[in-house]
Amino acid sequence: MAAYMIIAVKMNDGAREQFISGYGAAVPALVKKFGGEYILVAPGAELLEGTLEGYTSMAVSKWPSKEDVYRFWNSDDYAEVKKLRDGLGECEVF
């Protein structure tokens, strides 16, 4: 059964370009390597309801299974790429 990963990002002031050129450039190939695909990448998202004020970038990826999501998330490869977003903002991942 397909699984979906949803990410909401709140960028620190002035960090968008560094986030995009580092993490944003590296992670798509890794998602593909582990069997996922992006179905939505949306900078400029607007909160209509809830508590994620300031989280203006969203991404949704589709995976063959929940196990594939965890295999990606817990991989050494992703651990290295994830470091590229350190200090650039806050991420909520579902």
Side-chain angles (χ1 to χ4, degrees), residues 11-83:
M11 299 284 177
N12 292 340
D13 289 340
R16 179 169 293 285
E17 284 305 314
Q18 187 177 353
F19 187 96
I20 291 169
S21 65
Y23 180 83
V27 79
L30 195 55
V31 166
K32 186 175 181 176
K33 174 183 174 180
F34 281 87
E37 65 176 307
Y38 280 106
I39 58 173
L40 171 74
V41 177
E46 295 181 26
L47 180 68
L48 299 177
E49 182 177 340
T51 60
L52 293 177
E53 187 68 38
Y55 287 77
T56 58
S57 293
M58 306 293 292
V60 178
S61 54
K62 182 178 179 181
W63 301 79
S65 70
K66 190 182 253 188
E67 290 78 18
D68 290 306
V69 172
Y70 286 120
R71 192 168 55 87
F72 161 79
W73 187 258
N74 294 316
S75 71
D76 291 338
D77 292 338
Y78 184 64
E80 285 302 309
V81 169
K82 190 175 174 183
K83 292 176 186 176

